[in-house]
Amino acid sequence: MDKPEKEPVIFFDKDFMLTGMNTDPRGLDFTISTQEHVINSRDGVLSEKHYYMNYDLITETFTDLAVSCFYTYSTVPGEAAKREEVIQWFFDDGSLGVKKLVVQILETQK
């Protein structure tokens, strides 16, 4: 029986803020080692989440942005709603490293 092929490791020319390493972070759970800052739209719907490496309780300041998530929603009457999430991982110099699009179909309430 053949062994399944491993996914190739992708290396970048800079280190990522999340890991301090130059390997692709897209398969990692970034919610465990970061501080989350949630931003809702005026009508209370989730629109952004930012994940920082540090949070200062005294100054209430987030620093060292590692990952950002941006959410958009669309609905077709009588059909399921859709949420698109764009996830962006940043290098340790603050520049954008990689991004990923996640599409989720949401059930409609009848």
Side-chain angles (χ1 to χ4, degrees):
M1 189 164 139
D2 292 335
K3 291 182 181 178
E5 289 187 34
K6 291 183 179 180
E7 289 189 33
V9 176
I10 300 172
F11 293 96
F12 294 85
D13 61 347
K14 299 179 188 176
D15 292 339
F16 283 90
M17 182 67 69
L18 181 66
T19 60
M21 299 168 55
N22 67 344
T23 54
D24 193 343
R26 287 178 281 192
L28 301 175
D29 182 356
F30 53 83
T31 62
I32 295 173
S33 60
T34 57
Q35 304 294 318
E36 180 183 71
H37 180 212
V38 176
I39 299 172
N40 292 322
S41 65
R42 289 184 181 158
D43 56 356
V45 176
L46 174 64
S47 61
E48 298 176 30
K49 286 185 182 179
H50 301 282
Y51 296 87
Y52 295 86
M53 298 307 294
N54 300 296
Y55 179 72
D56 186 316
L57 289 170
I58 295 170
T59 62
E60 298 181 351
T61 305
F62 292 94
T63 55
D64 300 324
L65 177 63
V67 180
S68 285
C69 303
F70 299 93
Y71 301 89
T72 56
Y73 302 86
S74 58
T75 313
V76 176
E79 296 183 17
K82 177 174 76 171
R83 178 176 85 178
E84 292 185 354
E85 176 184 14
V86 176
I87 307 170
Q88 300 176 331
W89 287 262
F90 294 92
F91 289 123
D92 58 7
D93 67 359
S95 62
L96 178 62
V98 293
K99 61 183 175 178
K100 174 181 175 181
L101 173 64
V102 178
V103 178
Q104 181 179 14
I105 303 301
L106 308 170
E107 292 185 28
T108 56
Q109 306 244 343
K110 293 185 180 184

